[in-house]
């Protein structure tokens, strides 16, 4: 992966053994876990996002995604500080057999200072069939519109910030390849 995904994009796994499997980070928004706030997050702002796995192949895959042992990590702000991951409020996917033409989704909750939530880096590294997978990265932030990375699709409507930076980077990469 030469460029990060933008929140909302699908990423296909490139391994032959996992052909047809793809993952998406989406639905980033302010939200509080249904089980309530964790005391360790006092003074922080909660956000949630969803991780969806889709099997477009012909075989099933066993998927595991939880915060322990670090199947995902979230960094916030320009300095890339670690966010508080609410393990008790987040969903887990453990040894789920994802059959062809099916999806599985987990909703994850994190908390961080509100000023740092305009830039998030979310890395997803699930276990697939009992093996660690490559960690794909998504970038986004509160107030940044989700969407595809098609050139020109968001540049005029997105708020200043990480979406515009990603858009400029993708345009520069595309023009370099031409």
């Amino acid at each position: 992966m030469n460029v990060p995904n933008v929140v909302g994009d699908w990423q296909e796994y490139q391994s032959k053994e996992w052909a047809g499997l793809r993952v998406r980070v989406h639905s980033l928004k302010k939200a509080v876990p249904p089980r309530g706030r964790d005391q360790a997050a006092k003074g922080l702002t909660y956000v949630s996002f969803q991780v969806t796995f889709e099997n477009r192949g012909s075989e099933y895959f066993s998927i595991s995604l939880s915060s322990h042992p670090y199947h995902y990590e979230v960094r916030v702000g320009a300095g890339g500080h670690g966010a508080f991951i609410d393990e008790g409020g987040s969903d887990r996917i453990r040894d789920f057999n994802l059959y062809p033409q099916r999806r599985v989704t987990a909703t994850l909750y994190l908390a961080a200072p509100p000023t740092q939530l305009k830039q998030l880096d979310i890395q997803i590294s699930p276990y697939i069939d009992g093996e660690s997978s490559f960690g794909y990265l998504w970038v986004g932030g509160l107030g940044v519109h989700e969407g595809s990375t098609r050139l020109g699709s968001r540049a005029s409507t997105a708020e200043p910030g990480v979406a515009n930076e990603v858009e400029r980077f993708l345009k520069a990469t595309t023009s370099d390849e031409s």
Side-chain angles (χ1 to χ4, degrees), residues 72-102:
Y72 63 90
E73 187 169 355
V74 181
R75 297 288 171 169
V76 296
H81 298 284
F84 171 77
I85 306 289
D86 191 324
E87 294 179 36
S90 297
D91 295 336
R92 293 174 181 81
I93 301 172
R94 287 198 181 137
D95 299 321
F96 185 84
N97 290 334
L98 183 58
Y99 286 90
Q101 308 306 312
R102 297 288 187 255

Side-chain angles (χ1 to χ4, degrees), residues 28-46:
L28 177 65
K29 62 184 178 186
K30 282 187 181 180
V32 176
R35 296 172 194 94
R37 295 179 59 89
D38 189 300
Q39 289 294 71
K42 187 175 183 178
L44 302 176
T45 299
Y46 263 97

Side-chain angles (χ1 to χ4, degrees), residues 4-166:
N5 299 292
V6 176
V7 170
D9 289 347
W10 284 100
Q11 177 61 54
E12 300 271 345
Y13 281 93
Q14 301 301 316
S15 169
K16 288 182 182 181
E17 63 189 329
W18 300 329
L21 183 64
R22 64 186 198 158
V23 61
R24 178 182 184 212
V25 170
H26 58 101
S27 303
L28 177 65
K29 62 184 178 186
K30 282 187 181 180
V32 176
R35 296 172 194 94
R37 295 179 59 89
D38 189 300
Q39 289 294 71
K42 187 175 183 178
L44 302 176
T45 299
Y46 263 97
V47 296
S48 71
F49 62 92
Q50 293 183 328
V51 179
T52 299
F53 294 91
E54 180 179 66
N55 185 353
R56 301 172 84 179
S58 58
E59 302 290 326
Y60 77 87
F61 302 104
S62 177
I63 307 289
S64 291
L65 178 72
S66 64
S67 61
H68 185 71
Y70 307 107
H71 294 170
Y72 63 90
E73 187 169 355
V74 181
R75 297 288 171 169
V76 296
H81 298 284
F84 171 77
I85 306 289
D86 191 324
E87 294 179 36
S90 297
D91 295 336
R92 293 174 181 81
I93 301 172
R94 287 198 181 137
D95 299 321
F96 185 84
N97 290 334
L98 183 58
Y99 286 90
Q101 308 306 312
R102 297 288 187 255
R103 290 181 176 178
V104 62
T105 300
T107 301
L108 308 174
Y109 293 88
L110 63 103
T115 57
Q116 294 185 344
L117 292 172
K118 292 180 182 176
Q119 182 174 346
L120 285 98
D121 297 326
I122 302 168
Q123 183 170 307
I124 304 296
S125 307
Y127 277 176
I128 304 171
D129 292 337
E131 297 179 32
S132 292
S133 68
F134 179 77
Y136 287 112
L137 179 69
W138 282 262
V139 297
L142 284 184
V144 177
H145 301 286
E146 274 187 33
S148 70
T149 57
R150 279 178 267 139
L151 299 177
S153 64
R154 287 189 324 270
S156 62
T157 59
E159 294 179 26
V162 72
N164 285 338
E165 291 175 33
V166 170

